[in-house]
Amino acid sequence: MNNLIIQNIGAIKDIEIELNKINIIMGPQSSGKSTIAKIISYCQWVEKRFLLDGGYEYEFSEQFMEFHRIDENYFSSNSFFKYESDFVSISYTGLDKKEKITKKKRNLDYQKSKNIYIPAERNFVSAIPNLGKFKESNDNIMSFLYDWYDTKKKYSKKKALPILNLGVNYHHIDDNDSDILTINENNKEISLKNASSGLQSIIPLTMLIDYLSNGFYKKKKTNSVNEKEEIKAIIQKTLDDFITKREENTDFSKNDVNKLLDLVGNRTEYHFSSFIIEEPEQNLFPETQRDLVYYLLQNITNSERKHTLTLTTHSPYVLYALNNCMLGYKIKESLPSDIKDELVSRNSWINPDLVSVWEIKEGTVLSIKDSDTGTVRKQYFNKVMNDVMDEYYEMLNYLEV
Amino acid sequence: MRLKISEKLEHHIITNHSDENLYVADYKHYENHYGLEKNEGKVVILNTFQDDWKSVHLSNENQVDICFDGFEDNALPSEAAGIQNSQCECVLFPNNFNANSWILFIETKYSASFENAFRKENNYPHSMTNQIIETVKYLREKDIIPAEKKVHAIVSFPNLAEEFNSYFFQGKEIEILKEHKILIRATNSALIKSEKRITLKSI
């Protein structure tokens, strides 16, 4: 597992977490959820560039502060973050963000990943037409825009994307860059820019999940110049090692050759996607929030690829849905098949050990999973509900009945 | 109100308390555990927190002078022979009671686990709510509480509330308020603000 430490950055005072396959970060507004998600996203990107390009030559201020729209005031002299995977260690310290990136022994086993950050502001791609004409900038919103433009072209009328259980299909018309929704019930078409805010929020999200967890891997991708140069350098070094071995009268084995082939494969092809999604619940009715969670987990867990997912959320409904998926996994052996068939979550069940759920509280994190059941503790839901009920009860004092 | 109770329910013992923190505990529960002297089944009110006792906490930051009536077994006698009225565990109200003062009823259950608390045969929260409704009804009929006065009530699971208390009534609290003029909440604490104001807290 990958380890992340963050100290004194924005609202985060001191956290240390082990990143899991699925990571859920709960917390109120401005508690630091996005700061954690953005640091994870940045570190995953640095790891990829550092290992695939053979070095990291980018500016922190551009690639983190500007890209993720992080204010300079988030940092102080005692700020620190460190990301550690099986392959690298990355850290930044202090106000001047002193950078330290080191390779680990296993770095040659690193597999190239597709990293995608889906920001809370995603609706704008649906709502504003002709976005391609907008001035480019280097931030996660524009990056998301590029991903959206690349991806939506795959969904022609013949390959329309069904949107959860909402009875709506999306397709794109390339000629005039139109985003069209077909209402299944009456076969009527409407433009995405005129659709509800819920659809505008969910369509870019589900489309990217659908494509990047499946279709993306069916197409051959080209590698960047830096990536190719680094692969050449590694092959050169490995061959040099082979020659040295031969000079020492030690033959290189078939196993050595296989390792080299694996290494080339690891670096030239994409192997899995790392999704980071801010507030997937945006503008969605509770039932749709539930279906979206089921959809995300179905795509991510049913793949042979080791996709990962990190979510920030305010919504207890997201946690309720997640709980169903974890509980389903736990009881699946004792569940009669006819009952199982009735459960909407059945294709999204996930081993609770692969899920971490944290609540951010006063700059620190607290796991809110029950150690016995592996699901989210009922105390958490109760606390969330009580926060609303306190005001309700105060007002009931004055209700004349 | 104190006078009315004393007149109409002569055997009731009402005590006064004005400490900043008060703790209502089921003495019977601890009597069994600690071999304490019997006290006729009454709950007790304490002014210090007992580390190993679970209780209902009443925060009384303005040190309002409060009357406490912890009900003994069969505290609400029936005029019909052989019938024992259903009752909750205690009632509290300000000593300087007037038409605008609050009245608080408490019923506690010391279930050790969620599973025990929600066993069908226990019939919680219905049975606990019913004990409070019957107590309030009795005191209204005796004209100790005015017929239309809104009162407050707590159903408490001192061992458990943080797990589920917000889901206890699921909207039925409005029906109870409408039908019985009882503002009821599942919680282990309340905040006494003045002789007129009390807030049932979340846990």
Side-chain angles (χ1 to χ4, degrees):
Chain A
M1 275 201 214
N2 300 341
N3 183 271
L4 180 70
I5 297 172
I6 307 176
Q7 291 166 347
N8 305 309
I9 298 178
I12 301 298
K13 288 179 186 161
D14 190 3
I15 68 154
E16 178 165 4
I17 53 178
E18 294 283 338
L19 295 176
N20 212 335
K21 183 176 179 67
I22 309 288
N23 304 286
I24 312 291
I25 307 167
M26 288 288 294
Q29 261 81 24
S30 309
S31 58
K33 299 184 299 296
S34 293
T35 305
I36 298 174
K38 288 169 178 176
I39 289 176
I40 293 170
S41 169
Y42 175 71
C43 290
Q44 287 175 340
W45 185 75
V46 175
E47 177 181 43
K48 179 169 148 180
R49 293 276 54 95
F50 182 69
L51 294 174
L52 297 186
D53 298 349
Y56 183 74
E57 303 291 339
Y58 300 88
E59 290 292 324
F60 180 81
S61 58
E62 282 176 18
Q63 301 304 329
F64 181 65
M65 311 288 280
E66 197 180 310
F67 185 82
H68 284 299
R69 286 164 288 116
I70 297 281
D71 196 275
E72 188 61 44
N73 289 332
Y74 273 44
F75 282 81
S76 61
S77 57
N78 55 359
S79 292
F80 173 74
F81 70 83
K82 184 178 186 183
Y83 169 88
E84 207 154 352
S85 70
D86 289 341
F87 318 108
V88 288
S89 170
I90 301 164
S91 68
Y92 289 84
T93 309
L95 208 49
D96 56 352
K97 298 108 187 168
K98 192 166 183 283
E99 181 179 275
K100 188 176 177 192
I101 309 174
T102 52
K103 278 182 192 173
K104 290 197 176 175
K105 259 190 176 175
R106 283 193 54 204
N107 76 84
L108 293 179
D109 296 336
Y110 176 78
Q111 293 186 318
K112 186 175 179 178
S113 64
K114 173 69 182 168
N115 303 336
I116 172 89
Y117 192 91
I118 303 182
E121 299 85 351
R122 60 186 165 274
N123 291 30
F124 82 105
V125 299
S126 306
I128 304 171
N130 302 318
L131 268 173
K133 292 175 185 166
F134 276 55
K135 191 171 175 278
E136 292 180 12
S137 63
N138 172 38
D139 65 21
N140 61 20
I141 299 178
M142 289 311 290
S143 172
F144 175 70
L145 178 64
Y146 300 143
D147 284 327
W148 157 254
Y149 263 86
D150 281 350
T151 305
K152 67 180 184 175
K153 290 174 184 161
K154 323 288 181 201
Y155 295 90
S156 61
K157 191 159 189 177
K158 277 186 181 170
K159 294 179 181 172
L161 175 71
I163 307 302
L164 303 182
N165 58 349
L166 298 173
V168 174
N169 285 8
Y170 167 89
H171 73 269
H172 178 251
I173 302 173
D174 211 19
D175 295 346
N176 57 3
D177 187 21
S178 299
D179 303 306
I180 305 295
L181 302 180
T182 307
I183 316 294
N184 296 344
E185 196 178 27
N186 52 21
N187 221 26
K188 281 191 176 167
E189 291 188 346
I190 57 165
S191 172
L192 177 58
K193 69 180 180 352
N194 299 327
S196 69
S197 59
L199 283 169
Q200 289 183 349
S201 170
I202 206 168
I203 285 171
L205 182 52
T206 50
M207 181 190 295
L208 281 163
I209 297 291
D210 181 70
Y211 181 63
L212 294 178
S213 57
N214 300 297
F216 176 78
Y217 293 93
K218 291 172 187 156
K219 302 252 159 111
K220 183 80 184 157
K221 305 288 179 309
T222 54
N223 296 289
S224 71
V225 174
N226 284 349
E227 286 174 359
K228 283 176 185 165
E229 288 302 317
E230 177 63 6
I231 291 167
K232 279 185 204 166
I234 291 173
I235 292 173
Q236 180 71 53
K237 187 180 176 304
T238 313
L239 290 175
D240 287 347
D241 289 348
F242 287 169
I243 292 164
T244 311
K245 272 187 173 182
R246 179 155 279 184
E247 283 167 356
E248 290 168 356
N249 291 324
T250 315
D251 270 350
F252 57 82
S253 64
K254 198 174 171 185
N255 195 27
D256 290 327
V257 177
N258 284 340
K259 268 189 190 169
L260 185 58
L261 287 174
D262 283 348
L263 187 147
V264 173
N266 285 348
R267 283 162 182 255
T268 51
E269 291 164 23
Y270 284 95
H271 290 264
F272 64 97
S273 299
S274 288
F275 297 97
I276 299 181
I277 306 173
E278 285 188 328
E279 299 163 22
E281 68 271 14
Q282 260 183 12
N283 305 323
L284 302 181
F285 189 69
E287 192 182 66
T288 313
Q289 293 185 37
R290 178 200 68 186
D291 292 343
L292 176 61
V293 171
Y294 292 170
Y295 178 81
L296 292 173
L297 290 181
Q298 183 177 344
N299 275 276
I300 284 161
T301 59
N302 287 351
S303 169
E304 286 176 2
R305 297 181 182 275
K306 50 177 188 179
H307 302 313
T308 65
L309 171 67
T310 298
L311 295 183
T312 69
T313 179
H314 305 115
S315 170
Y317 298 110
V318 167
L319 289 195
Y320 278 123
L322 181 73
N323 251 8
N324 287 353
C325 297
M326 296 193 283
L327 197 57
Y329 181 92
K330 283 201 71 128
I331 52 102
K332 64 181 179 181
E333 302 305 333
S334 48
L335 197 66
S337 58
D338 54 331
I339 304 283
K340 182 181 171 183
D341 292 343
E342 290 170 8
L343 299 174
V344 190
S345 64
R346 64 187 178 278
N347 295 322
S348 309
W349 292 348
I350 183 167
N351 182 345
D353 293 342
L354 301 177
V355 181
S356 296
V357 190
W358 295 288
E359 181 190 11
I360 306 185
K361 212 171 180 184
E362 294 164 2
T364 61
V365 286
L366 185 72
S367 170
I368 53 172
K369 279 181 72 185
D370 185 289
S371 53
D372 292 333
T373 62
T375 55
V376 177
R377 289 201 300 265
K378 48 186 180 290
Q379 286 94 327
Y380 180 77
F381 294 114
N382 195 39
K383 181 180 155 296
V384 171
M385 193 70 177
N386 268 325
D387 289 344
V388 180
M389 298 283 279
D390 274 344
E391 193 165 312
Y392 169 72
Y393 267 95
E394 188 63 45
M395 290 191 285
L396 280 185
N397 278 314
Y398 303 95
L399 181 68
E400 296 298 332
V401 288
Chain B
M1 180 158 164
R2 180 183 189 134
L3 197 62
K4 281 186 176 176
I5 292 176
S6 300
E7 277 174 13
K8 297 179 182 182
L9 300 166
E10 289 170 6
H11 57 288
H12 282 222
I13 297 167
I14 297 173
T15 53
N16 283 63
H17 307 269
S18 56
D19 300 279
E20 280 186 39
N21 291 292
L22 295 164
Y23 304 90
V24 176
D26 182 354
Y27 185 85
K28 194 157 53 180
H29 176 75
Y30 291 105
E31 178 184 278
N32 295 335
H33 278 66
Y34 294 89
L36 299 171
E37 196 179 324
K38 303 273 181 201
N39 83 337
E40 310 296 335
K42 283 178 13 174
V43 289
V44 289
I45 189 163
L46 310 166
N47 58 9
T48 52
F49 179 71
Q50 304 283 319
D51 280 346
D52 48 356
W53 285 38
K54 295 283 176 64
S55 54
V56 177
H57 177 213
L58 304 175
S59 174
N60 182 23
E61 57 193 19
N62 296 320
Q63 297 192 284
V64 175
D65 186 11
I66 294 164
C67 294
F68 169 78
D69 183 359
F71 299 151
E72 293 178 359
D73 290 340
N74 202 15
L76 309 177
S78 169
E79 283 164 17
I83 291 184
Q84 197 165 338
N85 285 317
S86 178
Q87 63 181 58
C88 66
E89 284 172 320
C90 66
V91 61
L92 300 104
F93 50 89
N95 193 31
N96 291 325
F97 187 84
N98 62 44
N100 296 319
S101 298
W102 52 264
I103 305 172
L104 174 67
F105 293 85
I106 298 175
E107 174 61 27
T108 62
K109 292 286 182 241
Y110 280 72
S111 297
S113 71
F114 186 82
E115 291 70 27
N116 280 348
F118 285 94
R119 263 196 200 123
K120 266 188 184 169
E121 58 267 32
N122 284 336
N123 195 20
Y124 301 150
H126 180 74
S127 63
M128 297 171 79
T129 309
N130 205 41
Q131 284 172 268
I132 287 173
I133 291 171
E134 289 300 316
T135 306
V136 173
K137 195 174 158 193
Y138 183 95
L139 296 182
R140 288 197 206 279
E141 282 170 1
K142 291 275 178 195
D143 196 28
I144 293 172
I145 301 174
E148 292 302 308
K149 180 165 180 59
K150 189 193 287 183
V151 301
H152 290 77
I154 286 175
V155 291
S156 160
F157 286 88
N159 292 327
L160 294 175
E162 64 176 20
E163 292 189 11
F164 58 83
N165 70 312
S166 66
Y167 299 97
F168 212 79
F169 287 107
Q170 299 179 5
K172 287 198 183 109
E173 68 279 354
I174 282 284
E175 289 169 32
I176 295 166
L177 181 59
K178 275 186 195 166
E179 200 173 333
H180 303 284
K181 310 278 183 217
I182 300 171
L183 176 49
I184 195 163
R185 188 169 192 183
T187 178
N188 289 336
S189 68
L191 175 63
I192 296 163
K193 294 178 176 169
S194 67
E195 287 169 355
K196 289 182 189 171
R197 284 191 70 192
I198 187 167
T199 297
L200 307 178
K201 290 171 70 180
S202 49
I203 292 182

